[in-house]
């Protein structure tokens, strides 16, 4: 699939979408808009074969108003830039602060804004706006770009952090009884069983769990991401947790050949091994 | 020796540890921001979505990006509606409401007691305030409604981490100070005890209403016997020494429009609990009824009760989750904003405070200072 064939096969649709996008507001001409649509489609279907119907359906699903704005900004059209600055500059900064905090967030937003404007880019032939293909709203795409930059910066800085000079001393054991020689083995068995049970989950179930437990999103935020109602998220998390517990105990019983008392010990040692106090966490949240 | 209810706790805690240590897929497999954004806006087709679900489920880097995208701006496409079963069950009461309204039109307005006038909204700010944008826009404490945005919604400045406002924004801690424990005498003293929650004019209307109308008899049957029911009920035969399953489930009702308005004017309120959405408010009347307003306090609908026990504190970390606690260790919760269930409590002592992060995680505090926490919606406590 190439751009000329897309432009040729879908000319009427592209003309209709040009009108729907009100692209003339931004001094964008139909050929430029058509080229943006064609580029979006070739990017989407570069790794697969697509029929004309697939392409038409895809093009119709795009956020064409935002695409027209981005396309016009990429070409330096003044009306488009005026609109972008008035509508998006503040949102960019607010999103940056939400992503990276007050100071870092402002820098993150300003840096992206500069890249969009083309100030820092030495290569003026391709604007950062050209990477927006209309598959989402422009606002979401801008947040995604900032999120990626922030996450990658954090991951890079973690790799560069020096190792501690000395390891913290482990807390003295509070147990009066002699330690169980199987303690470590029981904890590892439980860990292994849980990891295997989690790996066997459907991807969406794993993603829901990760968003809630690893990313610590609220139920509402998980719901927005997964396209589910908050109550549905809550119910499914509960169901997944019960299923995991059943799977863990099945593995401990059938594969590790543990008896019920031994399984109870697994939980007991794990509870001591992984201390977690919600009350302490809540207390830290109060001023 | 572990108790059975500790096992779910261990699983929940272990998930937090295990999933945070999840391996990231090689960078070459990760999608560009275009796909991440389209995923959040739910504009990928089904096949693409399944493909990226599989990647995101294992990639900590992408999960982190998705979390930041979702929490850094207003919601994209509208949230899906509540589960369908809760929609059609309102058909019959809605039809009844329509019939009652038609009857009201035929019969004429009901004569109201002297001195009772339509009260102002419970919180004037709440009724004038637009629902805040989700995510980073919630900058105020959840106990107060968010200020109306002066411009099209933008993500407001995020409160400093560790503050109550930040925690409230994330729905972590939303607590309402409990009303003072009322004296066990006349209704007038009960009304006085609830006075801090009422505006002066509402108190006056309440006094006039109480003089004009006799107290209503207790309504509703006592809660059904303890069974494993409702959200998260445990399987029979696995009940620990302290029952972990909810012991009662009361279905919400859909009152007629006239009754809702009257209830808004005449109810004596013991406790009011506001959610982060200023239009969603719960309250507990002195008759022990749990009511909800979806318009910032102008009208109310009874959802449950009388619960038979005094409820004294509450927390609503979201518009669909609310926890209520009270005497004799009573804990009530709704996880969908509609159905209420009474949860088994770890203590028989009076409860004076509840702090909730969401429908699953909360901490309750007894009068003598003991704290109990749950991470599974109240099935188990630690």
């Amino acid at each position: 699939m190439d751009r000329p064939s897309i432009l040729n096969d879908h000319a009427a649709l592209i003309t209709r979408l040009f009108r729907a996008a009100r692209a003339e507001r931004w001094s964008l001409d139909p050929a430029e808009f058509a080229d943006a649509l064609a580029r979006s489609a070739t990017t989407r279907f570069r790794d697969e074969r697509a029929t004309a119907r697939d392409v038409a359906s895809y093009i119709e699903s795009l956020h064409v108003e935002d695409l027209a704005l981005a396309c016009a900004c990429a070409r330096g059209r003044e009306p488009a830039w005026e609109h972008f600055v008035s509508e998006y500059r503040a949102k960019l900064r607010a999103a940056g602060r939400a992503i990276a905090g007050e100071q870092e967030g402002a820098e993150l937003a300003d840096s992206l804004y500069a890249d969009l404007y083309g100030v820092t880019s030495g290569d003026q032939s391709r604007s950062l706006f050209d990477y927006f293909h209309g598959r989402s709203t422009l606002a979401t795409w801008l947040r995604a770009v900032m999120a990626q930059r922030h996450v990658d910066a954090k991951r890079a800085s973690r790799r560069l952090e020096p190792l501690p000079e000395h390891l913290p001393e482990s807390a003295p054991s509070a147990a009066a009884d002699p330690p169980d020689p199987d303690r470590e083995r029981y904890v590892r068995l439980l860990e292994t069983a849980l990891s295997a049970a989690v790996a066997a989950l459907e991807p969406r179930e794993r993603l829901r769990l990760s968003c809630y437990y690893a990313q610590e999103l609220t139920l509402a935020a998980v719901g927005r991401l997964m396209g589910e109602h908050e109550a549905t998220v809550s119910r499914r998390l509960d169901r997944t947790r019960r299923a995991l517990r059943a799977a863990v105990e099945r593995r401990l019983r059938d594969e590790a050949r543990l008896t019920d008392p031994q399984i109870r010990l697994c939980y007991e040692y794990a509870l001591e091994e992984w201390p977690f106090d919600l009350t302490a966490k809540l207390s830290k949240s109060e001023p | 020796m572990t108790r059975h209810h500790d096992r779910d706790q261990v699983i929940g805690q272990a998930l937090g540890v295990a999933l945070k240590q999840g391996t990231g897929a090689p960078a070459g497999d990760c999608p560009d921001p275009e796909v991440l954004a389209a995923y959040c806006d739910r504009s990928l087709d089904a096949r693409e979505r399944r493909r990226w679900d599989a990647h995101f489920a294992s990639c900590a880097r992408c999960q982190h990006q998705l979390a930041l995208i979702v929490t850094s701006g207003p919601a994209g496409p509208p949230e899906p509606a509540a589960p369908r079963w809760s929609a059609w069950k309102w058909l019959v009461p809605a039809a009844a409401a329509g019939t009652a309204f038609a009857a009201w039109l035929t019969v004429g307005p009901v004569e109201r007691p002297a001195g009772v006038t339509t009260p102002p909204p419970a919180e004037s700010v709440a009724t004038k305030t637009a629902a805040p944008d989700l995510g980073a826009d919630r900058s105020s404490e959840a106990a107060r409604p968010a200020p109306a945005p002066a411009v099209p919604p933008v993500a407001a400045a995020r409160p400093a981490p560790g503050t109550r406002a930040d925690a409230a924004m994330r729905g972590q801690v939303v607590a309402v100070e409990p009303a003072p424990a009322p004296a066990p005498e006349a209704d007038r003293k009960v009304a006085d005890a609830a006075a801090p929650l009422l505006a002066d004019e509402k108190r006056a209307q309440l006094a006039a209403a109480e003089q004009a109308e006799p107290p209503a008899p207790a309504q509703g049957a006592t809660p059904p016997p303890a069974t494993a029911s409702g959200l998260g009920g445990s399987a029979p035969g696995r009940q620990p020494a302290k029952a972990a399953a909810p012991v009662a489930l009361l279905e919400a009702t859909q009152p007629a429009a006239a009754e809702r308005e009257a209830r808004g004017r005449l109810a004596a309120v013991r406790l009011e609990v506001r959610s982060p959405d200023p239009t969603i408010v719960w309250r507990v009347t002195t008759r022990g009824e749990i009511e909800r307003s979806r318009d910032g306090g102008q009208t109310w609908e009874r959802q449950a009760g009388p619960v038979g026990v005094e409820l004294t504190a509450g927390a609503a970390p979201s518009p669909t989750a609310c926890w209520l606690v009270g005497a004799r260790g009573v804990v009530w919760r709704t996880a969908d904003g509609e159905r209420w269930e009474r949860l088994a409590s770890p203590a028989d002592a009076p409860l004076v405070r509840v702090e909730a992060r969401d429908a699953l995680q909360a901490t309750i505090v007894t009068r003598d200072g003991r704290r109990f926490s749950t991470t599974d919606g109240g099935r188990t406590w630690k």
Side-chain angles (χ1 to χ4, degrees), chain A residues 17 56 109 137 143 151 161 187 206 213 255 273:
Chain A
L17 291 176
T137 63
R143 297 205 313 270
V151 168
E161 275 173 7
V187 172
R206 257 187 296 135
Y213 284 103
E255 295 175 14
E273 199 77 15

Side-chain angles (χ1 to χ4, degrees), chain A residues 44 48 94 131 133 135 137 140 143 148 152 206 212 216 218 224 230 245 264 268 279 285, chain B residues 1-2 7 34 41-43 45 47-48 58 61 65 69 155 162-164 170 318 358 361 373:
Chain A
R44 163 68 181 92
E48 56 188 270
Y131 290 91
H133 295 302
R135 300 200 68 188
T137 63
T140 309
R143 297 205 313 270
Q148 187 179 70
D152 287 346
R206 257 187 296 135
Y212 187 75
E216 296 185 333
T218 61
R224 288 203 301 279
E230 184 178 338
R245 181 185 154 186
R264 276 200 293 274
E268 186 174 320
T279 58
S285 303
Chain B
M1 187 76 71
T2 54
R7 299 191 183 191
E34 180 91 34
D41 277 357
R42 297 202 288 280
S43 51
D45 61 46
R47 191 166 51 85
E48 271 191 297
S58 306
R61 174 180 178 249
Q65 292 178 71
I69 296 168
T163 61
R164 177 185 287 277
R170 287 179 50 77
S318 78
D358 52 38
Q361 299 186 69
S373 300

Side-chain angles (χ1 to χ4, degrees), chain A residues 44 48 63 90-91 94-95 97-99 102 131-137 140-141 143-145 147-148 150-152 155 190 194 198 203-204 206-207 209-210 212-221 223-232 234-235 237-238 241-242 244-245 248-249 260 263-264 267-268 270-271 274 276 278-279 281-287, chain B residues 1-2 6-8 10-16 19-20 31 33-34 37-45 47-49 53-54 56-58 60-61 63-65 67-75 79-83 134-136 153-155 157-158 162-164 167 170 172-173 232 238 318 320 335-336 353 355 357-363 371 373-374:
Chain A
R44 163 68 181 92
E48 56 188 270
H63 297 260
K91 287 180 186 177
R97 284 195 298 268
I99 288 171
E102 194 65 39
Y131 290 91
F132 175 69
H133 295 302
R135 300 200 68 188
S136 67
T137 63
T140 309
W141 179 76
R143 297 205 313 270
V145 173
Q148 187 179 70
H150 175 70
V151 168
D152 287 346
R155 289 167 76 90
L190 188 62
L194 182 59
V198 170
R204 258 184 99 72
R206 257 187 296 135
L207 181 58
L209 279 181
S210 295
Y212 187 75
Y213 284 103
Q215 302 305 324
E216 296 185 333
L217 294 179
T218 61
L219 292 176
R224 288 203 301 279
L225 180 64
M226 314 272 321
E228 297 170 351
H229 192 271
E230 184 178 338
T232 303
S234 172
R235 202 169 52 247
L237 281 173
D238 197 43
R241 246 194 326 272
R242 286 202 305 272
L244 283 175
R245 181 185 154 186
V248 162
E249 294 184 7
D260 281 346
I263 293 175
R264 276 200 293 274
Y267 280 102
E268 186 174 320
L271 202 59
W274 303 323
F276 179 79
L278 178 64
T279 58
K281 221 177 173 188
L282 288 173
S283 298
K284 283 179 191 169
S285 303
E286 295 185 14
Chain B
M1 187 76 71
T2 54
D6 282 340
R7 299 191 183 191
D8 286 332
V10 171
I11 295 293
Q13 295 171 17
L15 282 171
L19 291 169
K20 280 177 184 167
E34 180 91 34
Y39 186 92
C40 290
D41 277 357
R42 297 202 288 280
S43 51
L44 297 181
D45 61 46
R47 191 166 51 85
E48 271 191 297
R49 193 168 187 90
D53 274 346
F56 295 151
S58 306
R61 174 180 178 249
Q63 286 169 19
H64 194 180
Q65 292 178 71
L68 291 176
I69 296 168
V70 160
T71 55
S72 62
E79 268 191 45
L134 300 174
V154 296
R158 190 175 184 179
T163 61
R164 177 185 287 277
R170 287 179 50 77
Q172 285 177 338
V173 177
R238 287 190 137 197
S318 78
T320 56
D336 62 4
R353 186 175 174 84
E355 300 162 352
R357 179 183 171 192
D358 52 38
L360 295 176
Q361 299 186 69
T363 296
R371 301 171 76 95
S373 300
T374 181

Side-chain angles (χ1 to χ4, degrees), chain B residues 59-204:
Chain B
C59 180
R61 174 180 178 249
C62 287
Q63 286 169 19
H64 194 180
Q65 292 178 71
L66 290 171
L68 291 176
I69 296 168
V70 160
T71 55
S72 62
E79 268 191 45
R84 281 185 298 172
W85 59 264
S86 68
W88 68 262
K89 81 174 183 180
W90 297 117
L91 277 178
V92 169
T99 305
F101 184 62
W104 182 81
L105 285 176
T106 307
V107 171
V110 174
E111 191 173 333
R112 290 166 174 68
V116 177
T117 57
T118 303
E123 292 280 343
S124 59
V125 175
T127 58
K128 291 177 185 170
T129 301
D133 287 319
L134 300 174
D137 288 357
R138 271 180 275 173
S139 59
S140 62
E141 293 185 33
R144 299 193 183 85
V151 296
V154 296
R158 190 175 184 179
T163 61
R164 177 185 287 277
D166 172 58
M169 186 184 80
R170 287 179 50 77
Q172 285 177 338
V173 177
V174 178
V176 172
E177 292 299 326
E185 307 76 274
D187 288 347
R188 183 172 299 282
K189 287 199 175 180
V190 167
D192 288 344
L197 301 175
L198 300 174
D200 284 346
E201 56 240 28
K202 285 183 85 174
R203 228 180 301 153

Side-chain angles (χ1 to χ4, degrees), chain A residues 6 12 16 41 53 55 60 66 68 87 106 113 121-122 126 131 148 154 165-166 169 249 251 266 278-279:
Chain A
I6 293 175
R16 179 163 60 81
R53 193 172 174 179
V55 173
E60 280 195 286
D66 285 356
E87 291 296 317
Y113 183 77
S121 170
R126 186 155 192 194
Y131 290 91
Q148 187 179 70
K154 286 296 174 192
E165 291 188 0
H166 63 276
E169 291 179 8
E249 294 184 7
R251 285 173 192 270
C266 285
L278 178 64
T279 58

